[in-house]
Amino acid sequence: MNIENISALMRQLESLGFENSGYSLLKRISFKPENFILSQKIEMGKNKLSLQLFFEKDIKQDIYVLSYYDAILQKETPLIDAAINGINTANLEKSMMEIDWKNAFDFVTKKQLNLEDKTSWEKELKVESVIDGLSELEKSEDGKIVAVGLKLKYWAGISYQELFGNISPLKNKSEVSQRFYFFEGQTGISVDEAYGFLQNRWLEKQMQAKRKQTDGTEISETEKDSHASSGSGLLKKKRLGSSRTVKPNKSVLS
């Protein structure tokens, strides 16, 4: 095992803002793969930064190098505090906050189960209650938006995607991403710099959405005016045609 290479990579990661990656790096390299990915999540205020670092082996030098990393900024979306389909969204979110979802989605760990002792499966009852609440929300369009927002907020990084349903539309609205490459002799983009860049991308995305909405409204108004003017024109033509029609004289019989 090339300890010097691992030490150099650790220094590089620390200088970029990736903390406590040394042991994960060592474990992955011990399997001697051609390439591998390390994942990290960093809380940035109310936002989350998901990072995936891609390493590959330089066969000529027999060392591993950091080629690039993908950064995904997940913005916290404000949820509606309301009663939808009989579900109070604020209470549902409070229930989701109290659950350790990483543990809830752990279907591998084994432990003895005693169904007669309700206290041993109270956590599972709470999970079931939350799932029931999310299902009720999803029965309406407004509720679906809230349900997806809650899933994104509390289930981010969970591997059981079949439980998410279709979250793509809201996910696209709440995320921006960018890949940052590393070139020989260059320091590379740090985590803080990546966060600043993605924040700017997010603002740009919001401005484009507002511009699109404004343009759509203007087009709609123009179409209405166009239909109205064309309709009045036809009405004028119709009236003009009627006025030009000469009624035939009645014949007088003698």
Side-chain angles (χ1 to χ4, degrees):
M1 188 178 288
N2 191 335
I3 298 299
E4 288 183 6
N5 179 212
I6 294 171
S7 179
L9 286 172
M10 284 176 61
R11 288 195 300 271
Q12 182 185 14
L13 292 176
E14 286 173 7
S15 69
L16 293 168
F18 297 99
E19 298 178 354
N20 302 320
S21 300
Y23 187 59
S24 298
L25 195 64
L26 178 71
K27 284 181 71 175
R28 295 307 304 270
I29 289 176
S30 68
F31 282 90
K32 303 182 75 172
E34 290 184 6
N35 55 67
F36 62 90
I37 292 173
L38 290 184
S39 299
Q40 276 198 11
K41 283 188 180 293
I42 300 175
E43 297 284 339
M44 308 293 270
K46 291 184 177 181
N47 304 317
K48 292 178 183 177
L49 198 60
S50 296
L51 304 143
Q52 288 194 318
L53 298 87
F54 182 82
F55 297 84
E56 58 185 339
K57 192 168 187 178
D58 185 333
I59 299 172
K60 291 181 179 178
Q61 299 183 66
D62 193 28
I63 60 171
Y64 285 94
V65 295
L66 173 60
S67 300
Y68 62 82
Y69 69 85
D70 291 325
I72 304 169
L73 175 63
Q74 298 169 313
K75 297 290 285 188
E76 183 182 39
T77 51
L79 298 170
I80 302 167
D81 182 4
I84 303 174
N85 303 339
I87 302 297
N88 184 288
T89 56
N91 290 342
L92 182 60
E93 179 169 17
K94 187 180 177 182
S95 297
M96 293 188 78
M97 286 173 66
E98 293 170 353
I99 294 172
D100 179 358
W101 289 105
K102 189 175 181 182
N103 178 267
F105 280 98
D106 178 8
F107 302 129
V108 178
T109 302
K110 295 178 181 179
K111 70 173 186 178
Q112 193 170 5
L113 176 63
N114 180 10
L115 290 175
E116 293 180 2
D117 180 13
K118 191 176 177 180
T119 58
S120 67
W121 42 280
E122 277 182 341
K123 292 177 182 177
E124 286 68 32
L125 276 176
K126 290 178 180 178
V127 169
E128 185 181 45
S129 176
V130 165
I131 299 301
D132 286 340
L134 291 171
S135 298
E136 283 299 317
L137 284 179
E138 289 171 344
K139 289 179 180 179
S140 68
E141 289 304 314
D142 288 342
K144 279 180 184 176
I145 294 170
V146 176
V148 169
L150 286 168
K151 288 177 183 180
L152 279 172
K153 188 173 182 179
Y154 294 99
W155 294 0
I158 302 296
S159 58
Y160 293 91
Q161 296 297 323
E162 67 271 13
L163 295 172
F164 276 58
N166 184 19
I167 63 171
S168 296
L170 189 60
K171 191 176 181 183
N172 290 337
K173 288 180 181 178
S174 63
E175 286 186 0
V176 282
S177 61
Q178 182 65 43
R179 177 168 291 180
F180 299 99
Y181 288 93
F182 292 88
F183 299 99
E184 194 174 346
Q186 294 184 1
T187 308
I189 302 294
S190 70
V191 172
D192 287 338
E193 289 169 335
Y195 179 66
F197 176 83
L198 290 172
Q199 283 277 57
N200 187 64
R201 282 277 308 277
W202 169 258
L203 290 173
E204 185 182 20
K205 188 175 182 178
Q206 296 300 103
M207 289 174 66
Q208 286 176 347
K210 285 181 181 177
R211 198 178 299 123
K212 211 177 258 187
Q213 189 176 13
T214 305
D215 291 346
T217 305
E218 288 177 355
I219 290 168
S220 179
E221 290 298 324
T222 304
E223 285 176 350
K224 284 180 184 178
D225 293 341
S226 176
H227 286 311
S229 61
S230 61
S232 61
L234 285 171
L235 188 60
K236 285 178 182 177
K237 285 180 182 179
K238 190 174 181 181
R239 286 174 179 169
L240 186 62
S242 299
S243 64
R244 287 179 178 176
T245 304
V246 180
K247 292 182 180 180
N249 293 326
K250 292 181 179 179
S251 57
V252 180
L253 293 174
S254 54

